[in-house]
Amino acid sequence: RRAVFRRTAKEPPHKSTENRNVSKMSSSVSMAEERARVRVGDLTRQLTLHPTSATDDTYTYQADLKACRDELLPFISGDVNCNPILLRLAWHDAGTFDESVPMWPKCGGANGSIRFDAELEHGANAGLRKGLMYLKPFHAKYPRLSWADLIQLAGATAIEAAGGPKVAMRYGRVDTDVAEQCPEEGNLPGAEPPFEDKSPDAATHLRRVFHRMGFNDQEIVALSGAHTIGRAFKERSGVTDFGYGPKNGTAHTGCPAMKAGGGGGCPALVARRDGAEGVGMQGGMSWTKKWLTFDNSYFKKEYVEDPEGLLWMSTDKALHTDSGFAPHFQRYAEDEGAFFEDFASAFIKLSECGARFRPVNGIKINDESWIKTLRDSSSFGRSA
């Protein structure tokens, strides 16, 4: 070894420089190899079976999905009337996706990360802990199902239970493992300016948020139609002064007369598509009069008739005033079937944003006859 060292020490300067360059190249190759090994290790860990991953036997997993769906439907359709919050939960888990981020799960999306406190505490997710509470008994009964799948299954079932289209999405999403994999706050759309992304107006803000996920103008309008069900609350979003409880609701969501000390003559609230009385928890402010019915009422601008009792924000107004959005908004106002078809397609796309599937092609639980969305069908869009 000493002899080799002596010969190396006596080499001409240019040889020494050449050796250093070779050494640097070798070092770079080694670093690249190490990064590759780390990447392979990461992928291997992601493929590893774990209790909250859709990697069990496909047929068993499919059977659990069907059984869970069959139990979710009557639960959502019952007295709880939790359609809106389960749809919002599914939307917010998937809506953090950023297609410019190549690494999973840092890209966000439908990966079940919203079950962690770190993400639930994001401002836009206020109140969604209640939605998770509704789903915990289902996850306990069907532990093979990933949280990501259960959340999206509940969202799709909530739409159907409210009279909307049957959303034939695929399943098999892999969950995130730890809270550190949650996306950063700020990826979901805002309601009113000033917007976090510093957009000059609502239309620009909507496009920046949705284009980041890969959606076009027509899909933005279709997905916004989800506001046909649900309410906003003072305690959650701050976009309205109407809050929890009947006395803090509107004529469509509660009993405002109770504020004045009355309330004995409060009429029964009817907002469901089946005409049944009762809305579950009262209060808040809705976008539509029948806010437990999934239809195209949102696009008919009911707020014009009742501006004090119905919600309409800057991001809602942009959909019928912006030249790129307005034609789609008008088409959905005139054709509920078109809205249902486009919404189902866009919601499936949303539910796959940032999702990693095992098996890679996913798992279907609906046959083609179940998902058919013919506009001229008399049964189209009605609950099973």
Side-chain angles (χ1 to χ4, degrees), residues 10 18 24 31 50 59 64 75 82 84 88 113 140 142 175 178 208 226 233 243 252 273 275 285 303 309 343 348 373:
K10 292 179 180 179
E18 182 179 311
K24 288 180 181 179
M31 291 176 64
H50 57 85
Y59 295 106
D64 280 0
F75 171 76
C82 55
R88 180 171 168 241
S113 61
Y142 299 100
D175 278 336
V178 293
R208 284 179 177 176
F233 295 88
H252 310 293
R273 187 155 194 163
M285 192 178 198
Y303 80 97
F343 178 85
I348 290 171
T373 54

Side-chain angles (χ1 to χ4, degrees), residues 205-217:
H205 173 66
L206 287 173
R207 287 192 174 95
R208 284 179 177 176
V209 171
F210 283 91
H211 287 181
R212 186 200 71 225
M213 294 187 278
F215 291 101
N216 59 32
D217 283 2

Side-chain angles (χ1 to χ4, degrees), residues 192-234:
E192 296 285 358
F195 299 108
E196 286 189 25
D197 62 3
K198 303 189 185 308
S199 292
D201 54 67
T204 301
H205 173 66
L206 287 173
R207 287 192 174 95
R208 284 179 177 176
V209 171
F210 283 91
H211 287 181
R212 186 200 71 225
M213 294 187 278
F215 291 101
N216 59 32
D217 283 2
Q218 173 260 312
E219 292 167 321
I220 293 172
V221 179
L223 285 174
S224 297
H227 280 159
T228 198
I229 64 173
R231 301 162 288 174
F233 295 88
K234 178 181 180 180

Side-chain angles (χ1 to χ4, degrees), residues 33-368:
E33 290 175 343
E34 179 60 25
R35 284 196 297 270
R37 280 194 293 269
V38 170
R39 175 63 176 146
V40 170
D42 288 343
L43 289 172
T44 301
R45 284 190 292 275
Q46 291 165 10
L47 289 170
T48 301
L49 294 173
H50 57 85
T52 54
S53 174
T55 45
D56 287 286
D57 174 77
T58 299
Y59 295 106
T60 304
Y61 196 88
Q62 185 182 56
D64 280 0
L65 283 166
K66 290 180 178 179
C68 186
R69 181 194 65 191
D70 291 344
E71 292 183 26
L72 277 168
L73 191 57
F75 171 76
I76 296 170
S77 302
D79 295 338
V80 179
N81 290 301
C82 55
N83 317 64
I85 198 168
L86 293 182
L87 174 54
R88 180 171 168 241
L89 181 67
W91 213 116
H92 283 218
D93 190 44
T96 59
F97 178 60
D98 185 345
E99 67 176 0
S100 70
V101 179
M103 294 290 291
W104 186 91
K106 288 297 184 183
C107 59
N111 55 33
S113 61
I114 201 169
R115 73 190 189 277
F116 293 113
D117 287 345
E119 189 167 341
L120 275 176
E121 291 169 1
H122 291 180
N125 293 332
L128 286 180
R129 194 177 301 275
K130 186 176 182 179
L132 277 176
M133 178 192 72
Y134 286 137
L135 295 184
K136 282 184 178 179
F138 293 93
H139 193 265
K141 186 171 181 178
Y142 299 100
R144 272 187 291 261
L145 301 186
S146 67
W147 268 107
D149 269 353
L150 177 57
I151 289 169
Q152 296 305 319
L153 176 66
T157 308
I159 294 165
E160 178 190 349
K166 294 180 174 73
V167 182
M169 63 177 65
R170 58 180 174 146
Y171 297 91
R173 295 168 187 79
V174 177
D175 278 336
T176 51
D177 295 312
V178 293
E180 287 71 24
Q181 294 174 319
C182 290
E184 294 183 3
E185 187 169 6
N187 282 356
L188 293 166
E192 296 285 358
F195 299 108
E196 286 189 25
D197 62 3
K198 303 189 185 308
S199 292
D201 54 67
T204 301
H205 173 66
L206 287 173
R207 287 192 174 95
R208 284 179 177 176
V209 171
F210 283 91
H211 287 181
R212 186 200 71 225
M213 294 187 278
F215 291 101
N216 59 32
D217 283 2
Q218 173 260 312
E219 292 167 321
I220 293 172
V221 179
L223 285 174
S224 297
H227 280 159
T228 198
I229 64 173
R231 301 162 288 174
F233 295 88
K234 178 181 180 180
E235 295 84 351
R236 297 178 186 175
S237 64
V239 299
T240 177
D241 291 328
F242 293 92
Y244 296 148
K247 70 178 182 180
N248 295 314
T250 69
H252 310 293
T253 66
C255 184
M258 293 179 66
K259 268 192 174 179
C266 290
L269 294 174
V270 178
R272 294 163 54 116
R273 187 155 194 163
D274 61 8
E277 295 182 358
V279 296
M281 185 187 80
Q282 295 187 24
M285 192 178 198
S286 60
W287 284 262
T288 64
K289 296 175 183 177
K290 304 295 184 184
W291 52 272
L292 284 173
T293 299
F294 197 100
D295 57 16
N296 66 336
S297 294
Y298 173 80
F299 299 103
K300 295 182 178 180
K301 298 187 289 187
E302 292 180 337
Y303 80 97
V304 174
E305 303 170 8
D306 187 6
E308 301 300 319
L310 293 173
L311 184 62
W312 208 251
M313 304 178 296
S314 296
T315 43
D316 299 306
K317 185 178 180 181
L319 298 177
H320 56 87
T321 57
D322 178 87
S323 60
F325 294 142
H328 307 295
F329 190 98
Q330 184 60 35
R331 183 165 69 94
Y332 297 150
E334 298 170 354
D335 189 344
E336 184 177 271
F339 166 52
F340 276 20
E341 186 173 346
D342 289 353
F343 178 85
S345 177
F347 193 76
I348 290 171
K349 181 176 176 179
L350 174 67
S351 79
E352 296 187 1
C353 282
R356 170 163 285 171
F357 289 91
R358 295 289 178 266
V360 292
N361 291 325
I363 300 169
K364 286 279 191 157
I365 61 173
N366 309 314
D367 59 30
E368 288 303 310

